């Protein structure tokens, strides 16, 4: 049964299209990563010039008043910005053949700069934070990241968007495409059960001398295997491409979470993969339950569509607690505030998924016996 | 034909799919209600905090602590008389804003509006004084609005402060803020409304507004596609299309029936849960008919001239840093009017215009879906194409999109509130005309395909 279902899934043009779409989306993340890397240097340079210009202006204004601690602090601030801007000018000037600072010195300088802005956050004269467009929390994260890098002697990436395998995987799990993947898997697996009812082939199928729970179980297993295959291919191919472009990256590179704890990249990716698998299981169990209950392709599509619409609306309305999406690190590490309850959520979703699959099998025993011949709404 | 449409609507409403769609809309709306209830509390608190920090603290500190006080004497040649006048003005401002902040805390909104007018009239005076000295780029709208403020000042016998308080921060960019705050507060007092309408405020009056503002654009796209993605495939499968198209009627009639039935069903699917939700809100908050004023861009109803507002362009990062997410017709303390040309409009008139465009957008969405399902036989492929077109256009119709080509993107008009309120770069008139043109084109193309194609 399983083999037959798998064959059916892999032969369907719709499902081949789904796998293709997933691969395209994954490669798109890689492409975006590269684009961001190029943009980052320019934006950073622009921001720093603006910040240093403001600092310089403040310094000019303060020149006319008597020496106070505030004046001294402003001068010091200007020194930071000025030195940093000089460093970047050196880095980006094609005529310059050497960097002013080493990578370690750069990390230290950046850490000091962010620390300085954070300390001067409430002071009126320091308007630089407006130009940086970073919140206090983000600044704190930047500082923690650099402290960790210096403490563990890890070399800082030139930009947060370096193209290598580990960085690609981290960015992959932070992108909204994970949600798109779930929708695509739902789209591929939605008609596995309902197609039999739509084509009226359910009668010969369920009158075969095979236990009904075995039929449903094999369908669920086939969908799961298909989803695993699709996800693996969609992640592996761009990872290999990223390794070819920029190497595998540093496994120990830190990721600062919402609660300011640090997860190393490898650990982070592994946990994300685990959560993604549980979410796939959860989505498939919802689809199975809906398909068995409704026994009609259009209605099942509407119901699953509604499920995703409600999830999306929850995200738009910033409702986090009941929202499955917030249990995966969507959009950015910031949003994954549920990091502390992730282990609980993994357990919760696994139990819920298994319960729903068992419920679907039980329902198939009851519902299909009483199924009317029309097979759903007219 | 009418009988067929009636039967079609009834059969759609009886189907499981439509019921699921209605439940989906209802759940989304209830989620919105609970979310907004929470947000209103936060917004009122934020309003109070901003009032205290922005007016009472920031401006005062800016003047005294930030060394400009000394610089004004040293470099700008201010004498003691000027400084005294500025001190008096700041005292007046601080007194008014402190009272207003306390009124928000006490939920005495009549006092709040009164004190708000006093504070904003002073700031408007400062703007005029600055305009005389520094020759800001003022226009017809600026002076027209200043006249309204002058009238309020005359009615209330408010003093004139001939000082310009600003050294850098009070520029033309802030002018709409002061003027609209003054006008809005005055209107609220005139109408005797003792309530603070924040952007997320939810009661019996504003439930439909909030639904259109928050959920309508995305729901209409997804639900239309999910409801009708297999309308032809299903009829083919069941064999009913053969009977329908072999009857001695033109195919265009069949198409018209389909469009009217689908549009009516979509309206019911969206409106019935809204009605239920409205009743729920009324039970929760009570109902009182309040004809509140709302900021809008009335010129946009008849004009094709786009309104450059300060949500776009160079100020955007600044605004985002300061915590702005989206402009709404209900004024917030900061950045409530993107442009000086904004005027107050009756809420019910505003909603009347919005409803018209909402219906037009639903018709457009139904027609687009109809064309794609007629063109593509495979329902799944049709659905993907439909979602793909809709999704790409929807993503590209961002609020900060000011490109000329964006005018032709139908999803720039998916949220009519933004168009009428002047937040979007594209005007209401453009929306009506362009959606109308698209509807005609889609209808024509679908008729042509149905005529030529052997759908049976």
């Amino acid at each position: 049964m399983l083999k037959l279902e798998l064959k059916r899934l892999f032969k369907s043009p719709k499902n081949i299209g789904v796998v293709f779409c997933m691969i395209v989306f994954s490669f798109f993340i890689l492409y975006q990563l590269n684009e961001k890397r190029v943009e980052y240097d320019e934006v950073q340079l622009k921001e720093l010039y603006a910040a240093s210009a403001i600092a310089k202006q403040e310094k000019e204004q303060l020149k006319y008043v008597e020496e106070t601690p505030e004046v001294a602090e402003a001068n010091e601030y200007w020194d930071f910005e000025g030195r940093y801007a000089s460093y970047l000018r050196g880095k980006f000037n094609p005529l310059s053949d050497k960097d002013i600072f080493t990578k370690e010195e750069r990390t230290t300088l950046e850490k000091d700069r962010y620390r300085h802005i954070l300390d001067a956050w409430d002071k009126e004269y320091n308007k630089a934070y407006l130009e940086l467009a970073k919140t206090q929390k983000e600044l704190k994260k930047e500082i923690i990241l650099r402290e960790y890098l210096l403490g563990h002697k890890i070399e800082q990436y030139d930009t947060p968007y370096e193209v290598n395998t580990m960085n690609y995987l981290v960015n992959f799990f932070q992108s909204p495409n994970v949600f798109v993947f779930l929708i695509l898997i739902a789209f591929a697996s939605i008609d596995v059960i309902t197609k039999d009812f739509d084509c009226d082939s359910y009668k010969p199928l369920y009158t075969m001398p095979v236990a009904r729970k075995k039929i449903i179980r094999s369908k669920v297993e086939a969908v799961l295997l298909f989803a695993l295959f699709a996800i693996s291919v969609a992640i592996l191919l761009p990872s290999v491409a990223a390794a070819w472009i920029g190497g595998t990256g540093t496994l120990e590179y830190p990721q600062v979470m919402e609660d300011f704890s640090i997860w190393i990249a490898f650990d982070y990716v592994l946990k994300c993969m685990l959560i993604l698998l549980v979410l796939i299981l959860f989505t498939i169990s919802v689809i199975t339950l809906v398909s068995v209950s409704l026994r009609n392709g259009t209605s099942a599509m509407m119901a699953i569509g509604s499920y995703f619409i409600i999830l999306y609306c929850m995200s738009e309305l910033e409702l986090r607690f009941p929202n499955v999406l917030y249990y995966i690190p969507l959009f950015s590490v910031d949003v994954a505030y549920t990091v502390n309850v992730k282990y609980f959520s993994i357990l919760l979703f696994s139990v819920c998924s298994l319960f729903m699959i068992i419920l679907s099998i039980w329902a198939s025993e009851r519902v299909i016996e009483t199924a009317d011949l029309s097979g759903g709404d007219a | 034909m009418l009988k067929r449409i009636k039967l079609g609507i009834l059969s759609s409403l009886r189907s499981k799919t439509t019921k699921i769609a209605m439940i989906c809309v209802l759940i989304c709306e209830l989620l919105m209600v609970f979310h907004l209830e929470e947000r209103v509390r936060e917004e009122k608190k934020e309003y109070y905090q901003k009032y205290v920090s922005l007016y009472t603290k920031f401006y005062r500190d800016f003047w005294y602590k930030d060394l400009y006080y000394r610089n004004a004497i040293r470099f700008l040649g201010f004498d003691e008389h000027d400084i005294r006048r500025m001190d008096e003005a700041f005292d007046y401002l601080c007194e008014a804003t402190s009272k207003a902040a306390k009124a928000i805390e006490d939920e005495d909104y009549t006092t709040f509006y009164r004190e708000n007018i006093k504070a904003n009239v002073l700031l408007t005076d400062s703007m005029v004084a600055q305009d005389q000295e520094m020759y800001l780029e003022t226009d017809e709208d600026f002076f027209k609005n200043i006249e309204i403020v002058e009238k309020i000042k005359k009615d209330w016998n408010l003093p004139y402060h001939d000082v310009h308080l600003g050294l850098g921060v009070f520029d033309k960019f802030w002018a709409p803020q002061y003027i609209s705050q003054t006008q809005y507060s005055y209107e609220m007092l005139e109408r005797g409304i003792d309530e603070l309408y924040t952007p997320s405020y939810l009661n019996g009056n504003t439930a439909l507004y909030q639904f259109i503002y928050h959920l309508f654009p995305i729901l209409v796209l997804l639900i239309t596609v999910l409801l009708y993605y297999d309308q032809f495939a299903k009829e083919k499968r069941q064999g009913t299309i053969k009977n329908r198209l072999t009857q001695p009627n033109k195919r265009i009639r069949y198409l018209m029936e389909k469009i009217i039935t689908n549009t009516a069903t979509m309206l019911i699917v969206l409106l019935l849960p809204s009605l239920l939700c409205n009743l729920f809100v009324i039970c929760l908050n009570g109902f009182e008919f309040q004809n509140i004023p709302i900021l809008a861009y009335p010129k946009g109803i008849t004009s094709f001239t786009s309104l450059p507002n300060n949500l776009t362009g160079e100020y955007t990062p600044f605004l985002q840093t300061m915590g702005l997410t989206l402009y709404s017709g209900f004024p917030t303390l900061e950045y409530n009017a993107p442009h000086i040309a904004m005027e107050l409009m009756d809420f019910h008139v505003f909603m009347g215009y919005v409803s018209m465009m909402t219906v037009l957008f639903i018709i457009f969405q139904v027609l687009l879906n109809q064309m794609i399902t007629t063109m593509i036989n495979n329902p799944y492929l049709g659905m993907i194409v439909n979602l793909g077109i809709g999704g790409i256009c929807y993503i590209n119709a961002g609020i900060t999109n000011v490109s000329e080509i964006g005018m032709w993107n139908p999803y720039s008009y998916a949220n009519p509130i933004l168009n009428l309120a002047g937040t979007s770069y594209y005007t209401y008139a453009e929306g009506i005309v362009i959606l109308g043109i698209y509807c005609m084109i889609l209808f024509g193309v679908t008729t042509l395909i149905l005529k030529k194609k052997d759908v049976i």
Side-chain angles (χ1 to χ4, degrees):
Chain A
M1 284 299 283
L2 177 65
K3 211 175 161 187
L4 276 174
E5 284 297 336
L6 270 176
K7 218 172 173 182
R8 189 168 137 183
L9 273 170
F10 278 97
K11 266 188 176 174
S12 156
K14 183 179 72 141
N15 295 353
I16 293 167
V18 164
V19 178
F20 179 72
C21 280
M22 282 163 89
I23 294 169
V24 170
F25 275 120
S26 300
F27 269 104
F28 184 66
I29 296 172
L30 190 65
Y31 169 76
Q32 268 186 330
L33 197 65
N34 194 38
E35 286 288 298
K36 277 186 194 166
R37 187 178 61 83
V38 175
E39 268 176 33
Y40 183 82
D41 289 341
E42 290 169 14
V43 171
Q44 199 189 27
L45 190 63
K46 208 172 152 189
E47 277 174 359
L48 283 162
Y49 277 159
S52 60
I54 288 174
K56 194 176 175 184
Q57 197 186 347
E58 297 293 338
K59 194 188 170 192
E60 286 295 315
Q61 284 177 356
L62 290 165
K63 212 188 272 178
Y64 300 104
V65 293
E66 64 269 26
E67 191 72 23
T68 58
E70 284 86 11
V71 175
E73 204 172 338
N75 283 335
E76 192 191 332
Y77 176 67
W78 156 240
D79 287 344
F80 266 122
E81 295 300 315
R83 278 173 69 209
Y84 196 78
S86 316
Y87 156 68
L88 284 173
R89 266 197 291 275
K91 186 183 164 198
F92 290 104
N93 186 356
L95 298 172
S96 166
D97 55 359
K98 61 170 186 175
D99 284 346
I100 298 172
F101 300 117
T102 62
K103 283 208 167 178
E104 198 178 331
E105 279 173 330
R106 181 200 156 189
T107 311
T108 317
L109 195 67
E110 280 182 353
K111 188 191 73 166
D112 291 347
R113 176 169 175 269
Y114 288 134
R115 167 71 63 199
H116 198 88
I117 294 168
L118 191 65
D119 291 345
W121 187 265
D122 293 328
K123 294 206 169 58
E124 291 291 344
Y125 72 84
N126 187 359
K127 308 276 190 311
Y129 68 90
L130 285 178
E131 300 296 326
L132 266 174
K134 277 192 197 301
T135 60
Q136 280 171 300
K137 205 170 214 177
E138 283 165 347
L139 280 175
K140 206 173 165 189
K141 278 185 181 178
E142 298 283 0
I143 295 163
I144 291 171
L145 176 78
R146 280 160 184 79
E147 276 170 357
Y148 185 90
L149 289 170
L150 289 169
H152 290 76
K153 304 267 179 228
I154 300 169
E155 208 171 82
Q156 190 187 338
Y157 290 152
D158 280 343
T159 68
Y161 310 108
E162 282 304 293
V163 181
N164 59 45
T165 307
M166 282 320 289
N167 210 21
Y168 161 74
L169 287 172
V170 168
N171 276 277
F172 172 84
F173 284 111
Q174 288 176 20
S175 70
N177 289 16
V178 176
F179 182 47
V180 178
F181 275 27
L182 286 181
I183 294 175
L184 285 173
I185 287 168
F187 182 65
S189 55
I190 197 139
D191 62 347
V192 169
I193 292 172
T194 54
K195 205 171 184 179
D196 292 325
F197 290 97
D198 287 340
C199 309
D200 267 354
S201 60
Y202 75 100
K203 272 184 262 177
L205 181 72
Y206 291 107
T207 46
M208 281 196 318
V210 183
R212 266 177 207 164
K213 59 182 166 192
K214 201 179 169 189
I215 298 172
I216 299 285
R217 207 183 64 203
S218 60
K219 279 180 190 284
V220 174
E221 281 168 2
V223 169
L224 260 175
L225 285 175
F226 172 77
L228 284 180
F229 168 80
I231 289 275
S232 313
V233 171
I235 292 178
L236 268 177
L237 287 180
S239 300
V240 172
W244 183 62
I245 298 168
T248 50
T250 318
L251 293 181
E252 288 86 25
Y253 202 80
Q255 297 295 320
V256 186
M257 295 291 124
E258 184 67 5
D259 58 352
F260 303 114
S261 62
I262 286 184
W263 288 15
I264 61 166
F266 184 68
D267 191 21
Y268 177 78
V269 169
L270 271 186
K271 281 171 185 165
C272 287
M273 275 184 180
L274 183 63
I275 293 164
L276 182 61
L277 290 182
V278 172
L279 279 175
I280 289 171
L281 183 70
F282 185 75
T283 311
I284 288 171
S285 64
V286 171
I287 292 166
T288 316
L289 192 61
V290 167
S291 307
V292 168
S293 320
L294 294 173
R295 290 172 288 125
N296 177 283
T298 318
S299 303
M301 182 69 90
M302 187 71 228
I304 296 298
S306 302
Y307 167 73
F308 281 111
I309 291 172
I310 292 167
L311 285 187
Y312 180 81
C313 286
M314 280 188 200
S315 308
E316 284 288 296
L317 297 170
E318 295 165 16
L319 287 162
R320 290 181 172 189
F321 174 69
N323 191 350
V324 182
L325 294 185
Y326 277 100
Y327 292 93
I328 45 172
L330 270 180
F331 303 114
S332 73
V333 187
D334 293 346
V335 183
Y337 90 118
T338 46
V339 72
N340 292 327
V341 291
K342 259 183 192 151
Y343 300 108
F344 173 70
S345 67
I346 289 172
L347 192 71
L348 183 76
F349 280 112
S350 309
V351 171
C352 283
S353 313
L354 290 174
F355 175 72
M356 275 197 278
I357 289 171
I358 292 166
L359 194 69
S360 313
I361 293 169
W362 178 83
S364 70
E365 295 276 350
R366 301 287 174 280
V367 174
I368 293 167
E369 270 178 357
T370 54
D372 58 345
L373 293 175
S374 61
D377 60 331
Chain B
M1 187 174 169
L2 274 175
K3 204 177 171 188
R4 265 192 190 285
I5 291 169
K6 197 180 153 193
L7 280 172
I9 294 170
L10 283 175
S11 110
S12 300
L13 291 179
R14 269 200 296 271
S15 81
K16 228 184 262 178
T17 321
T18 316
K19 282 173 196 158
I20 294 169
M22 278 194 212
I23 292 168
C24 170
V25 175
L26 188 64
I27 292 173
C28 288
E29 288 207 25
L30 289 176
L31 286 172
M32 184 193 78
V33 169
F34 291 122
H35 171 64
L36 291 184
E37 283 285 322
E38 185 64 32
R39 232 170 58 180
V40 168
R41 274 195 287 277
E42 280 171 22
E43 274 172 7
K44 283 189 176 172
K45 198 176 152 196
E46 200 181 324
Y47 217 101
Y48 167 72
Q49 284 168 347
K50 273 186 182 168
Y51 222 107
V52 172
S53 66
L54 188 75
Y55 288 132
T56 351
K57 193 163 162 281
F58 179 73
Y59 290 160
R60 193 94 199 188
D61 288 359
F62 183 77
W63 177 240
Y64 287 109
K65 263 173 67 181
D66 217 29
L67 307 169
Y68 284 107
Y69 188 81
R70 275 173 281 176
N71 287 349
I73 301 170
R74 193 180 290 183
F75 304 113
L76 296 178
F78 276 34
D79 58 16
E80 278 185 14
H81 175 67
D82 293 328
I83 296 290
R84 199 164 51 247
R85 271 196 307 130
M86 290 189 86
D87 271 345
E88 279 170 14
F90 269 115
D91 285 340
Y92 182 81
L93 183 66
C94 283
E95 195 193 332
T97 51
S98 305
K99 279 183 187 168
K102 194 174 176 303
I104 299 175
E105 208 181 6
D106 298 343
E107 296 189 357
D108 175 13
Y109 299 116
T110 313
T111 312
F112 164 72
Y113 286 128
R114 203 180 307 123
E115 296 303 325
N116 199 26
I117 289 174
K118 282 184 191 172
N120 281 292
V121 161
L122 172 74
L123 292 164
T124 316
D125 281 348
S126 158
M127 274 296 310
V128 177
Q130 197 181 4
D131 178 53
Q132 285 161 1
E133 285 179 29
M134 300 171 94
Y135 306 107
L136 299 171
E137 285 176 25
T138 46
D139 52 17
E140 193 192 326
D141 289 319
F142 178 80
F143 288 110
K144 199 180 99 193
N145 282 291
I146 290 290
E147 272 174 26
I148 297 170
V149 176
E150 286 299 321
K151 191 179 159 289
I152 294 170
K153 226 160 74 175
K154 206 175 163 187
D155 290 350
W156 280 43
N157 288 328
L158 292 173
Y160 175 65
H161 294 271
D162 184 20
V163 284
H164 82 77
L165 302 175
L167 290 159
V169 287
F170 298 85
D171 57 15
K172 192 176 176 245
F173 170 60
W174 295 78
Q177 156 72 14
Y178 309 137
I179 294 166
S180 62
Q181 280 281 348
T182 314
Q183 289 179 15
Y184 184 78
S185 301
Y186 184 75
E187 275 293 316
M188 292 299 261
L189 280 178
E190 284 286 297
R191 295 176 192 212
I193 299 167
D194 186 16
E195 186 52 80
L196 184 64
Y197 276 82
T198 60
S200 302
Y201 192 84
L202 189 74
N203 65 4
N205 287 315
T206 56
L208 187 64
Y209 170 93
Q210 298 296 3
F211 169 65
I212 295 176
Y213 188 74
H214 288 283
L215 298 174
F216 173 76
I218 192 73
L219 280 185
V220 78
L221 165 68
L222 297 176
I223 288 181
T224 318
V225 175
L226 286 170
L227 269 181
Y228 303 121
Y229 77 98
D230 69 340
Q231 53 180 339
F232 278 108
K234 199 172 164 186
E235 287 210 31
K236 265 191 218 173
R237 205 167 53 228
Q238 291 170 350
T240 48
I241 198 164
K242 207 177 269 183
N243 295 336
R244 288 288 287 114
L245 293 183
T246 46
Q247 279 172 5
N249 289 323
K250 282 186 175 174
R251 284 188 178 186
I252 196 168
R253 192 173 151 174
Y254 168 75
L255 188 66
M256 282 294 287
E257 279 171 17
K258 271 256 170 242
I259 291 163
I260 296 171
T261 313
N262 291 354
T263 310
T265 313
M266 271 305 290
L267 275 172
I268 294 168
V269 165
L270 293 172
L271 282 181
L272 199 64
S274 297
L275 201 69
L276 286 175
C277 188
N278 216 337
L279 286 174
F280 177 69
V281 173
I282 289 168
C283 293
L284 212 67
N285 296 341
F287 182 73
E288 192 188 345
F289 184 82
Q290 288 182 328
N291 193 9
I292 45 175
I294 187 164
L295 277 165
Y297 178 49
K299 278 183 190 170
I301 298 169
T302 49
S303 163
F304 289 91
T305 315
S306 299
L307 179 70
N309 60 45
N310 57 24
L311 293 182
T312 55
E314 58 183 298
Y315 290 113
T316 312
F318 173 70
L319 290 172
Q320 278 169 355
T321 315
M322 296 295 278
L324 179 114
T325 49
L326 210 64
Y327 159 75
S328 162
F330 294 119
T332 53
L333 196 62
E334 290 170 89
Y335 320 117
N336 56 342
H339 198 265
I340 199 94
M342 294 287 154
E343 283 176 33
L344 291 175
M345 191 188 257
D346 277 347
F347 183 70
H348 296 104
V349 178
F350 182 90
M351 283 312 290
Y353 282 116
V354 166
S355 308
M356 267 166 59
M357 197 138 120
T358 308
V359 173
L360 191 60
F361 190 77
I362 293 175
I363 295 172
F364 161 77
Q365 194 62 51
V366 166
L367 278 165
L368 179 70
N369 193 60
Q370 194 87 28
M371 190 193 79
I372 291 170
T373 45
T374 317
M375 209 187 288
I376 300 167
N377 285 331
N378 188 326
Y380 292 123
L381 190 63
M383 186 167 82
I384 290 170
V385 171
N386 212 333
L387 282 176
I389 293 172
I392 290 166
C393 292
Y394 182 78
I395 291 163
N396 285 318
I399 191 169
T400 50
N401 191 358
V402 290
S403 60
E404 285 299 318
I405 193 94
M407 188 180 87
W408 295 98
N409 181 352
Y411 288 84
S412 298
Y413 314 102
N415 191 342
I417 288 175
L418 297 182
N419 296 99
L420 192 57
T423 318
S424 167
Y425 184 67
Y426 312 104
T427 62
Y428 183 85
E430 278 174 353
I432 293 283
V433 171
I434 286 169
L435 284 178
I437 291 171
Y438 273 123
C439 285
M440 282 192 279
I441 293 172
L442 288 172
F443 184 73
V445 173
T446 317
T447 317
L448 213 68
I449 296 168
L450 205 64
K451 260 184 193 171
K452 302 279 176 199
K453 200 174 176 183
D454 185 17
V455 282
I456 301 169

